[in-house]
Amino acid sequence: MQPSVDPTINTLQAHILSQEHDNPRSNETLSWILSALSISAKAIAAQIRRARLIDVLGNVGNANVQGEQQQKLDVLANEIMLRTLGRRDDVAIVASEENENPVFLRDGVDGKRRFCVLFDPLDGSSNLDVCGGVGTIFSIVRHDRRANDPIESVLQAGSRQVAAGYILYGPSTVFTLTLGRGVQMFVLDPSIGAFLRVEEDLQMPDAHKHYSLNEGNRLSFPDGYQNYLHWAQEQTYSSRYAGAMVADIHRILLKGGVFLYPPTAKAPKGKLRLLYEANPMGMIVEQAGGLAMAARDQRILDIEPTQVHQRTPVIMGSTKEVETVLSFL
Ligand code: P6P
């Protein structure tokens, strides 16, 4: 099924403003936060487009809180996000994959509704050196002033997200967003510097014989996953794996299929982070009509977080494909 094409010319900025227009009394239009994310996306895309030319690639030589080698662009993307979001009065706390602790910005006693923005500034950054797809993932929750420690305000289940999305830096720059009322997709037109809408209320195919996972870890997957893989290969499924969750999930949103990151010997609780990878991508997938699970009977968005950087197994994508995987677990 070919994705529908939105014939009207509608920009991300117009979509953001329409939220204000449609909800004049709401103090939750998120306009300023979403515009900060749009600016960040353009700035990061510009750096990535010229990466080899300005020798920004390569490791800065130290590791981040995840123990992963930080790419210079990781640091740069993180700085861009912190600076653009930090200036928005609506933002109480930012939490980044690149920062050990969330950054508490403000919680004025003015009674104003504020939000926490959690993000992975450059997901899949190891693809940068080889010009592979990389992405930014973001999740927005209401700041909970009642939390004893303000930082705990970021520890909310994915079902409490008010918005989520990703930016994919590939052959084109794609901004995909949900505010809980469907999925909108925009593509950056560099000639005018605007994100133009290409999908309104995107619905993913409910089945497609494609799976996406790192088969190098197969022997350490729990038996159920190995049995699923064996079955899928007997059914002549195709395998597609970009090594960047944003690129893999983007493909599945448009074409269908299932993405998996099971528990492995190296990552017994899964590798992907709950708060700023699995939750936002899970909200997008569910809003597009798919399923996002951590185990047979565990919906990702129902997990109550206990740590900022906690990890989770991930099975997400087309409803029928996810249900088939679960039937083997
Ligand atoms: P592996 C990128 O590092 C990432 O966090 C996700 O974007 C991606 O899906 C996964 O890890 C890739 O992990 O172990 O297959 O290289």
Side-chain angles (χ1 to χ4, degrees):
M1 175 174 79
Q2 285 303 320
S4 62
V5 175
D6 179 2
T8 59
I9 293 186
N10 203 323
T11 64
L12 174 60
Q13 207 51 38
H15 179 71
I16 291 170
L17 293 175
S18 68
Q19 300 304 311
E20 285 209 20
H21 178 265
D22 297 348
N23 306 281
R25 280 177 300 287
S26 165
N27 61 359
E28 297 198 347
T29 54
L30 303 172
S31 305
W32 284 106
I33 296 175
L34 295 175
S35 73
L37 292 167
S38 171
I39 294 289
S40 299
K42 293 175 191 175
I44 295 168
Q47 293 298 333
I48 288 175
R49 289 278 163 276
R50 299 168 54 241
R52 296 302 298 176
L53 303 177
I54 53 178
D55 188 33
V56 177
L57 282 180
N59 293 341
V60 290
N62 54 15
N64 64 10
V65 294
Q66 320 296 333
E68 293 164 349
Q69 279 303 320
Q70 272 193 321
Q71 303 274 340
K72 287 177 186 173
L73 269 169
D74 269 339
V75 177
L76 199 56
N78 195 45
E79 281 303 310
I80 290 170
M81 300 276 293
L82 291 173
R83 287 194 199 142
T84 52
L85 288 166
R87 289 205 176 99
R88 300 303 197 225
D89 180 51
D90 303 325
V91 180
I93 298 176
V94 290
S96 166
E97 183 207 36
E98 299 298 332
N99 295 91
E100 183 142 9
N101 298 306
V103 178
F104 179 75
L105 296 171
R106 61 182 69 78
D107 179 14
V109 293
D110 52 8
K112 180 179 169 65
R113 160 69 65 204
R114 286 191 170 85
F115 300 90
C116 304
V117 184
L118 303 91
F119 57 85
D120 182 354
L122 212 52
D123 175 65
S125 54
S126 54
N127 278 351
L128 282 170
D129 279 321
V130 296
C131 201
V134 293
T136 296
I137 309 175
F138 62 88
S139 168
I140 304 175
V141 296
R142 295 180 185 89
H143 176 48
D144 177 2
R145 277 200 290 275
R146 293 162 305 167
N148 298 328
D149 170 356
I151 296 307
E152 283 174 15
S153 178
V154 302
L155 297 179
Q156 298 185 44
S159 54
R160 298 178 57 81
Q161 293 174 106
V162 293
Y166 64 81
I167 297 97
L168 172 60
Y169 310 100
S172 53
T173 300
V174 180
F175 194 115
T176 300
L177 168 70
T178 181
L179 299 172
R181 296 182 296 277
V183 173
Q184 280 74 38
M185 195 174 278
F186 304 82
V187 172
L188 180 63
D189 180 342
S191 65
I192 57 174
F195 280 103
L196 303 185
R197 190 170 64 190
V198 295
E199 291 286 351
E200 185 179 19
D201 196 14
L202 173 75
Q203 288 297 300
M204 72 164 66
D206 64 3
H208 188 51
K209 290 175 65 174
H210 274 59
Y211 64 77
S212 180
L213 84 169
N214 182 340
E215 299 200 44
N217 298 321
R218 183 175 65 83
L219 295 180
S220 74
F221 290 160
D223 290 346
Y225 290 95
Q226 299 203 35
N227 297 337
Y228 164 75
L229 266 183
H230 183 75
W231 172 86
Q233 286 157 9
E234 282 179 332
Q235 303 300 314
T236 67
Y237 271 56
S238 291
S239 170
R240 293 283 185 280
Y241 191 65
M245 184 186 194
V246 172
D248 286 316
I249 298 295
H250 181 71
R251 182 190 58 253
I252 289 169
L253 280 173
L254 295 176
K255 305 282 187 188
V258 59
F259 174 85
L260 307 93
Y261 207 105
T264 65
K266 206 165 75 170
K269 292 186 178 173
K271 174 185 181 186
L272 301 178
R273 292 80 166 182
L274 174 63
L275 290 184
Y276 43 79
E277 288 180 331
N279 275 346
M281 300 308 278
M283 182 178 184
I284 288 275
V285 163
E286 287 194 355
Q287 285 287 317
L291 288 176
M293 304 293 284
R296 185 183 178 92
D297 300 312
Q298 178 65 66
R299 178 183 176 232
I300 286 176
L301 300 193
D302 288 338
I303 298 175
E304 288 295 341
T306 54
Q307 294 167 346
V308 175
H309 300 294
Q310 77 182 66
R311 300 171 188 265
T312 176
V314 169
I315 309 160
M316 61 170 79
S318 300
T319 306
K320 292 199 173 89
E321 301 304 338
V322 171
E323 287 168 347
T324 301
V325 175
L326 298 180
S327 69
F328 284 86
L329 301 188

